Amino acid sequence: MVYRHILIIGTLALFLALVSTAIQIGPVPIAVADSELSNGIGIPVRITIPRVNVDAVIESVGLTEGGAMDAPNGPSPAGWFSFGTRPGEIGSAVIAGHSGWKDNIPAAFDELNKLHIGDKIFVVDDNGATITFIVRKVQLYDPKADASDIFGSSDGKAHLNLVTCEGVWDTVSKSSSKRLVVFTDKEE
C-alpha cells in the first residue's frame, strides 16, 4: 500500500475537536491513503458497537482552519478523519463522535465509556464489507496531553481509535475535562 506521509512541523499543531473542544496533538506523521491504491478497502459509512447500542452513520471529516480535526455535524453521526487511514488499512484510523450533547439529546458515543477490552466494533464500508475490530485499551486523556499515539502506528497492523469527550463540562471554556480514547485492533 502506498501512503504519502505529511509531517506537521513548526508551530502548527493538530487539534482534535469534539463538542467545540480540542486535544492538542504534537507533530505527528499522518498517513494519507491514495484512494486509488487502498487495496479494495472502501470509505467507512457505518459503525456499530453492539455492547453499547451504537449504530451510527459515518461522515468524512477533515481539518478546521485552526488545524483541528473537524467534528461530525450534530449528535448522531460519527466522523472519520479522512486525512488518515481507512478503517482496515495498516495504520491508525480515527473516528470521533459526540457524547453528552446539550439538552440531553442522545449522541453517537454517549456510552463509549462502558466498553471493555475484548468488545467488538464493526465498521461497514461503501463496498458493503464489514471490518471487525477488538478493543485493546480504553484510556482517558487530559485535553492538553500529547495524544499522538491516537493518529499514528508503526507496528504494521490495522487499528481503529475512537475518540469522544468525557468528564465534567466547563461552561467557561466550553470544554469537557477529559478525552476518552478507545484503542482497537483489526480482528484477524
Side-chain angles (χ1 to χ4, degrees):
M1 186 171 298
V2 176
Y3 292 98
R4 296 179 304 253
H5 291 279
I6 302 168
L7 183 59
I8 299 173
I9 57 176
T11 58
L12 179 64
L14 176 63
F15 290 88
L16 176 59
L18 290 171
V19 194
S20 303
T21 61
I23 296 175
Q24 183 170 354
I25 306 298
V28 295
I30 299 174
V32 181
D34 185 324
S35 61
E36 305 251 340
L37 301 170
S38 62
N39 286 339
I41 295 173
I43 302 293
V45 296
R46 180 166 294 282
I47 183 168
T48 58
I49 311 172
R51 169 113 165 114
V52 292
N53 298 314
V54 170
D55 185 0
V57 170
I58 299 173
E59 58 188 34
S60 295
V61 299
L63 294 172
T64 66
E65 288 180 15
M69 179 182 162
D70 212 352
N73 292 316
S76 298
W80 163 63
F81 184 59
S82 60
F83 293 134
T85 59
R86 295 176 182 184
E89 290 179 332
I90 293 173
S92 293
V94 179
I95 295 178
H98 293 290
S99 65
W101 195 260
K102 61 187 171 192
D103 299 325
N104 293 319
I105 296 171
F109 285 176
D110 277 341
E111 304 294 321
L112 211 61
N113 62 351
K114 294 181 180 173
L115 287 177
H116 301 7
I117 293 170
D119 287 339
K120 291 190 177 186
I121 296 168
F122 304 94
V123 175
V124 178
D125 70 19
D126 62 351
N127 296 324
T130 300
I131 303 156
T132 304
F133 295 89
I134 300 173
V135 175
R136 170 176 34 97
K137 176 172 80 168
V138 179
Q139 184 171 342
L140 284 173
Y141 284 86
D142 182 273
K144 296 179 183 176
D146 175 20
S148 56
D149 56 337
I150 296 170
F151 291 90
S153 171
S154 60
D155 64 3
K157 297 179 181 179
H159 305 283
L160 172 65
N161 301 325
L162 307 179
V163 183
T164 195
C165 289
E166 182 77 13
V168 179
W169 179 255
D170 181 345
T171 57
V172 174
S173 67
K174 295 185 178 177
S175 176
S176 292
S177 60
K178 298 288 180 189
R179 301 298 175 271
L180 178 73
V181 181
V182 176
F183 293 91
T184 75
D185 303 318
K186 182 180 173 188
E187 183 176 64
E188 298 299 325

